Amino acid sequence: NPYILATLLFGLGLGTTITFASSHWLLAWMGLEINTLAIIPLMAQHHHPRAVEATTKYFLTQATAAAMLLFASTTNAWLTGQWDIQQMSHPFPLTLITLALALKIGLAPMHTWLPEVLQGLDLTTGLVLSTWQKLAPFALLLQIQNVNPTILVTLGLASTLVGGWGGLNQTQLRKVLAYSSIAHLGWMILILQYSPSLTLLALLTYFVMTFSTFLVFKLNKSTSINALAISWTKAPILTSLTPLVLLSLGGLPPLTGFMPKWLILQELAKQDLAPLATLAALSALLSLYFYLRISYAMTLTMSPNNLTGTTPWRFSSPQLTLPLAIATTTTISLL
């Protein structure tokens, strides 16, 4: 029903906006809660057992994270007597809130729900989950001051490594994208305390790249690497573009995805954190491997078992074409 869909999308926007605009922990929590409740019907809309399972998992993790956040902010009010987001001073609620937000966006080691949930959704809802749902928790993470740096660095490094190792083993594209998301979030958290503007830049480029990747997969109607291998008959031009989009996600120069990684490594080196920068760069190689594998399946091999006569050469999807064109161009040539 379009009216219900409009209401739910409005709720999604409203929840994020409330969290953006709040300086009081209760209001921020309320925004996050509205956000979660608005996306749950969108996730379960296909009534497929996997979709329902994914929705349940998502609901439980988000409810746990929201409860942790509420508990931490109440504890902070109890200990220091104020609710202001930017005035956090006590280490205990600070740590708890950081962990709650990490659980909300799926940072390692609280990441295990993300690949499972994303695998159960269709590509459009998966795109919303991978991009829009990260905004509100990130707004809060950017606002809380003086977090213990060790926590953020541990979360960031663990996420880049888990995002690299986890994706190697996957044949399902949505799980690969979930691990890719974990790795990218790790890079953002790594630099959060030294340069928040770089975190925002990385978040923005990640959004653009993920948007174009999801749209490409949606246009090809492919959810596994095997399906991509026969997609060159469906859209030959798109198939030649896709590896560039994927390598941009992996962070290869001269594509857009290289820019945030470059600047983050530079900033880490400036902060005398050369070992950390080295580890992060090496973990990016792991991610690069599975993007390369998908590119290889798409463009460097010809599938033996599909008859060209039976596959659709052209299929028109006018509502996808313009966003796809804009997103892929941005992903490939913004550096």
Side-chain angles (χ1 to χ4, degrees):
N1 189 329
Y3 293 115
I4 293 175
L5 185 67
T7 312
L8 292 175
L9 290 175
F10 174 70
L12 266 183
L14 181 73
T16 307
T17 316
I18 287 178
T19 307
F20 275 1
S22 61
S23 59
H24 189 290
W25 273 118
L26 269 182
L27 208 59
W29 168 79
M30 192 174 77
L32 290 171
E33 208 65 3
I34 292 174
N35 215 338
T36 307
L37 291 177
I39 201 174
I40 278 173
L42 290 174
M43 292 168 80
Q45 63 185 335
H46 290 298
H47 301 300
H48 189 274
R50 284 210 178 152
V52 175
E53 182 190 354
T55 312
T56 313
K57 284 178 180 170
Y58 182 77
F59 174 69
L60 290 174
T61 45
Q62 297 297 308
T64 311
M68 265 174 80
L69 190 93
L70 191 59
F71 173 67
S73 48
T74 319
T75 312
N76 181 55
W78 178 258
L79 291 169
T80 60
Q82 44 88 22
W83 286 89
D84 202 338
I85 293 178
Q86 299 193 354
Q87 306 291 327
M88 299 281 289
S89 52
H90 201 283
F92 174 67
L94 258 174
T95 309
L96 211 53
I97 275 177
T98 313
L99 291 176
L101 292 170
L103 178 60
K104 261 210 176 299
I105 53 179
L107 284 170
M110 284 85 83
H111 68 282
T112 38
W113 60 272
L114 186 58
E116 299 289 325
V117 167
L118 210 55
Q119 180 58 31
L121 307 178
D122 65 316
L123 289 167
T124 320
T125 321
L127 174 62
V128 172
L129 186 69
S130 304
T131 54
W132 186 256
Q133 292 299 90
K134 309 267 190 253
L135 280 172
F138 251 99
L140 293 176
L141 274 171
L142 282 164
Q143 282 184 72
I144 51 179
Q145 309 291 327
N146 53 33
V147 185
N148 183 355
T150 325
I151 295 174
L152 288 180
V153 166
T154 312
L155 284 171
L157 207 51
S159 297
T160 52
L161 287 166
V162 162
W165 284 121
L168 293 181
N169 209 10
Q170 303 298 333
T171 56
Q172 297 293 323
L173 291 177
R174 285 167 291 188
K175 280 193 176 172
V176 167
L177 284 169
Y179 282 110
S180 145
S181 164
I182 295 166
H184 278 273
L185 290 172
W187 280 85
M188 294 169 213
I189 292 295
L190 218 45
I191 200 66
L192 183 68
Q193 54 197 332
Y194 304 113
S195 170
S197 51
L198 271 189
T199 300
L200 282 175
L201 175 75
L203 190 66
L204 191 67
T205 46
Y206 161 73
F207 276 11
V208 172
M209 296 186 296
T210 310
F211 191 58
S212 50
T213 316
F214 267 99
L215 284 187
V216 165
F217 292 163
K218 190 175 164 57
L219 202 68
N220 277 336
K221 296 188 175 60
S222 27
T223 54
S224 71
I225 295 183
N226 288 349
L228 278 183
I230 56 167
S231 68
W232 65 271
T233 50
K234 296 182 189 171
I237 299 168
L238 199 62
T239 310
S240 54
L241 269 179
T242 313
L244 289 174
V245 172
L246 287 164
L247 293 177
S248 180
L249 258 177
L252 220 59
L255 305 163
T256 311
F258 176 56
M259 175 171 53
K261 284 193 166 65
W262 184 21
L263 294 170
I264 285 173
L265 289 174
Q266 185 190 8
E267 182 64 36
L268 286 174
K270 275 185 195 166
Q271 302 282 349
D272 281 341
L273 294 169
L276 192 61
T278 314
L279 271 170
L282 286 175
S283 68
L285 286 178
L286 292 168
S287 302
L288 195 60
Y289 173 78
F290 57 78
Y291 297 125
L292 264 173
R293 192 176 62 182
I294 300 176
S295 313
Y296 182 78
M298 281 194 80
T299 49
L300 299 176
T301 51
M302 287 184 76
S303 183
N305 56 0
N306 63 329
L307 300 165
T308 319
T310 62
T311 45
W313 267 94
R314 294 279 178 272
F315 48 95
S316 57
S317 176
Q319 73 272 25
L320 267 186
T321 321
L322 183 65
L324 183 63
I326 294 170
T328 41
T329 313
T330 318
T331 303
I332 290 170
S333 56
L334 204 64
L335 181 64

